[in-house]
Amino acid sequence: MYYGVQYYPEHWPAARWPVDARMMQAAGVNGVRMGEFAWSAIEPAEGQLDFGLFDRAIAILADHGIKTLLCTPSRTPPPWVYRKYPGVRNTTVDGKLNNAGFRYLIGLTHGEFVQLSERIDRAVIEHFAGHPAIIGWQVDNEVGMGNDCFCEGCRARFHDYLREKYGTVERLNAAWGAHFWSFTFSDFAEVPFPDRLQHPSPQLALEYRRFMSKLNVDFTRWRADLIHRLDPGKWVTTNFQSFMVQHTDYHQMAPALDINGMNHYPARSPAFILDYYRGARGKAIVLEQCTRLGPVDIGEGWMRLWAWMAIGHGISGVNFFRWRQCRWGQEQHADGILPHSGEENRRYRELKRMGQEIRAVGDLIDRTRPAAEVAVLSSYESRWAIEFGVGQKEMRAELDAIRFHTAFVQQNVTTDALDPRADLSRYKLVIAPRLFVVDAAIAANLERFVAGGGVLCLTAASGVVDEYNVSFDTPRPGPLRELAGVEVSDLSPLHAPVSLQAAPILGLFRGEGQGMADEIHPTTAETLATFDGGWRRGLPAITINRYGAGTVIYLGTILEGESLAAFVRYLRGLAGVEPLMATPAGVVAHERVGDGLRLRFLLNHTDAPVTVTLPAGWRDAFTGQPCAAVEIPAVDMRLVTATMNVGC
Ligand SMILES: [Zn+2]
């Protein structure tokens, strides 16, 4: 199993590299990621290529049993590029040319950038191709961040994209309803940029986002293909950024890669992304796991616990960000295992402790993966369409996806997180929260799942617009209304929580709906819960509909806390999904299976020790000793294993 750290040899004197390599080796580190911001170190002036620094650093690390995951560096050019080729810079939404004082501020389609970036990336790949110490490649870093561009050149490319997609401008006009505010186009060349400073056209804004996302995907695929050609046999990845950024549809990017990669910054990004970025591929590597964050008090034990949490969610390798805190620059006071001084500290001790554990059980981890019966769906298109069309923060689709995912995880239920077009055939229960955009492919996929016997849960504000962000001219949830057995005539905000009457759902009686409420009219569905306050008293809040061999639950509001937990238990009961086991509050169980083995992670996220009981047959994964009652210290974990026929 890959167990590594982010390393910047270009930041430190060469005399320090052997010290670092020895310390890493002693901590069980077997890989480093490096090079994503190294263009100026490799080519300090145009044409003066010098790989010596990285040749020597990679060799020293290799002497200590540490392989290198090397990044291509071209999205962060050195100052000489900006000075000599100012055309690489991108333009902000208000028409200003970005200055070169930050990273990534380039236009991916700009001719000078295309040429220069290929030149440097090709040079790096060719130089290190076939190197035995290079285990794989990362395409640049956080591809898509900072790359939106509003220059006339990119606008012309946008027009090309529209021409290819729509064929004729009449078709675009019809799809967008462009006559609104007199925006009927007579030529593609008239299509403006979405006005992000005021109120953009929802149809134009969604299509521009798709276009920029496609540029990010195309750049990644171009580099991945180049690497595969020049250094065959090596795997290629890149790091999907925090879930809260939404510049790129990572489901589109994943097929360009051999393995999905990601940033994992707990406390500011939810555990949801571990399963979402793993996605339909079922496998991902954490390329940046936070070690310390300025605003977050990361106490003893958390760095290691969060890394184990990632592995419990199905991650196949962990790279901590970064080896040592930087002495300079915009991240001077941000992450680092070692402090500025380079001395050993508690984070180094955690790294070392986990390194010993990975050495012992890494093979077991490599042989197993999560096996979920539940999936939560979330699409970038729904997020984009809500942002550009509705604009209300509380409407954000991803928040409901995170809420549901968290509730399942807290009940110790292994849960996948997928794009709504992914194959759902192996799941018993699928939650599709706030599926705002529903196109023909999504509708057919959900219909197939339910008709085949699945239990599907839809939530408020679903089936509102088509693939162009145009409202359906039928009642909501649009193409899903026969499936759901309801017609929704309106959606209103809830300024205060409203009680629910929900006798059939244990624990939800007197629960509360929050945030928003759909006005639901059942057609073939039965009402499971009603609102119990204000003018909505007696109106349906939750319905159930039988369709084919399956069932559709429609939740017309937002549930949180205990209400959501009760609702999730009800859904599990309908679908026959059992939790892995019962655990005390704050303790979460994850499981990976494979090769006839079950590998269970018991994570104590509390500040107090706990005891967890297991049936006969479970053994400690490190000692092999049978364990019936497992003591877990505060902020710590236990790993237990059993054969597949052993009970929960
Ligand atoms: Zn541009």
Side-chain angles (χ1 to χ4, degrees), residues 12 323-325 336-345 347:
W12 307 102
W323 170 243
R324 180 174 172 179
Q325 271 189 288
I337 290 172
L338 302 184
H340 293 113
S341 69
E343 302 290 315
E344 290 188 16
N345 58 2
R347 286 188 293 277

Side-chain angles (χ1 to χ4, degrees), residues 411-431:
Q411 292 182 22
N412 299 324
V413 175
T414 306
T415 304
D416 284 349
L418 305 167
D419 181 80
R421 296 171 192 83
D423 178 10
L424 303 175
S425 56
R426 69 184 153 107
Y427 301 100
K428 291 181 174 174
L429 173 58
V430 167
I431 317 294

Side-chain angles (χ1 to χ4, degrees), residues 483-630:
L483 208 57
V486 298
E487 293 189 345
V488 175
S489 58
D490 204 2
L491 171 74
S492 317
L494 288 180
H495 297 302
V498 178
S499 297
L500 300 175
Q501 287 265 20
I505 303 178
L506 209 60
L508 193 59
F509 186 72
R510 290 288 158 207
E512 286 182 332
Q514 319 221 12
M516 64 180 78
D518 267 338
E519 209 171 316
I520 299 173
H521 308 279
T523 50
T524 55
E526 294 167 39
T527 298
L528 280 176
T530 55
F531 290 106
D532 193 27
W535 67 269
R536 289 187 179 80
R537 190 184 304 274
L539 294 179
I542 305 174
T543 61
I544 183 168
N545 192 46
R546 309 290 173 187
Y547 182 96
T551 306
V552 178
I553 304 289
Y554 193 95
L555 166 65
T557 184
I558 294 173
L559 300 177
E560 292 189 15
E562 263 313 300
S563 297
L564 181 57
F567 184 60
V568 162
R569 279 193 294 273
Y570 170 77
L571 294 175
R572 286 204 289 104
L574 268 184
V577 173
E578 294 295 327
L580 292 169
M581 61 188 293
T583 51
V587 177
V588 176
H590 302 277
E591 190 169 290
R592 297 171 61 129
V593 298
D595 266 3
L597 275 179
R598 305 170 71 173
L599 194 57
R600 186 168 292 180
F601 304 74
L602 303 170
L603 307 184
N604 179 5
H605 292 268
T606 76
D607 287 327
V610 294
T611 301
V612 173
T613 53
L614 287 162
W618 287 91
R619 293 175 179 277
D620 185 289
F622 297 106
T623 65
Q625 294 299 310
C627 45
V630 184

Side-chain angles (χ1 to χ4, degrees), residues 235-464:
W235 49 271
V236 180
T237 186
T238 197
N239 52 338
F240 302 166
Q241 220 176 343
S242 156
F243 185 57
M244 291 310 165
V245 302
Q246 42 180 330
H247 48 63
T248 305
D249 184 340
Y250 290 128
H251 302 111
Q252 306 284 330
M253 189 179 277
L257 307 167
D258 297 309
I259 179 168
N260 298 356
M262 61 180 292
N263 292 353
H264 174 45
Y265 286 81
R268 80 175 179 202
S269 70
F272 175 78
I273 63 166
L274 293 163
D275 293 316
Y276 194 59
Y277 286 172
R278 188 165 59 78
R281 172 171 268 153
K283 202 173 172 189
I285 180 170
V286 165
L287 295 165
E288 292 188 17
Q289 140 115 37
C290 69
T291 50
R292 70 179 295 287
L293 286 164
V296 182
D297 181 16
I298 301 181
E300 181 92 33
W302 285 102
M303 185 186 97
R304 168 176 163 271
L305 192 68
W306 284 333
W308 276 117
M309 178 179 88
I311 296 168
H313 276 276
I315 294 305
S316 58
V318 175
N319 196 66
F320 290 98
F321 190 84
R322 61 188 74 207
W323 170 243
R324 180 174 172 179
Q325 271 189 288
C326 236
R327 292 179 60 206
W328 319 265
Q330 284 91 330
E331 295 180 354
Q332 180 177 350
H333 302 290
D335 287 75
I337 290 172
L338 302 184
H340 293 113
S341 69
E343 302 290 315
E344 290 188 16
N345 58 2
R346 66 177 162 84
R347 286 188 293 277
Y348 179 74
R349 289 194 296 276
E350 279 186 51
L351 179 80
K352 194 170 184 176
R353 181 178 171 197
M354 187 165 177
Q356 288 162 349
E357 293 165 336
I358 293 296
R359 228 180 318 220
V361 298
D363 287 346
L364 267 180
I365 293 165
D366 284 342
R367 287 156 53 199
T368 55
R369 63 200 305 178
E373 296 176 320
V374 179
V376 175
L377 310 184
S378 182
S379 83
Y380 283 91
E381 285 165 323
S382 281
R383 294 173 65 183
W384 294 336
I386 288 171
E387 184 189 341
F388 304 138
V390 186
Q392 291 169 13
K393 272 193 175 154
E394 60 272 22
M395 281 280 294
R396 287 164 57 185
E398 65 273 27
L399 299 182
D400 237 14
I402 291 166
R403 268 192 286 269
F404 270 99
H405 179 267
T406 305
F408 278 101
V409 170
Q410 284 174 346
Q411 292 182 22
N412 299 324
V413 175
T414 306
T415 304
D416 284 349
L418 305 167
D419 181 80
R421 296 171 192 83
D423 178 10
L424 303 175
S425 56
R426 69 184 153 107
Y427 301 100
K428 291 181 174 174
L429 173 58
V430 167
I431 317 294
R434 202 143 325 132
L435 214 49
F436 197 77
V437 175
V438 176
D439 63 16
I442 293 173
N445 199 31
L446 296 182
E447 199 272 341
R448 198 162 40 240
F449 170 70
V450 178
V455 176
L456 171 70
C457 174
L458 301 169
T459 76
S462 288
V464 178

Side-chain angles (χ1 to χ4, degrees), residues 89-91 107-110 148-155 193:
R89 293 192 288 173
N90 61 352
T91 298
L108 291 174
T109 70
H110 297 192
D148 282 11
C149 186
F150 296 83
C151 80
E152 281 306 309
C154 285
R155 189 169 156 225
F193 281 124

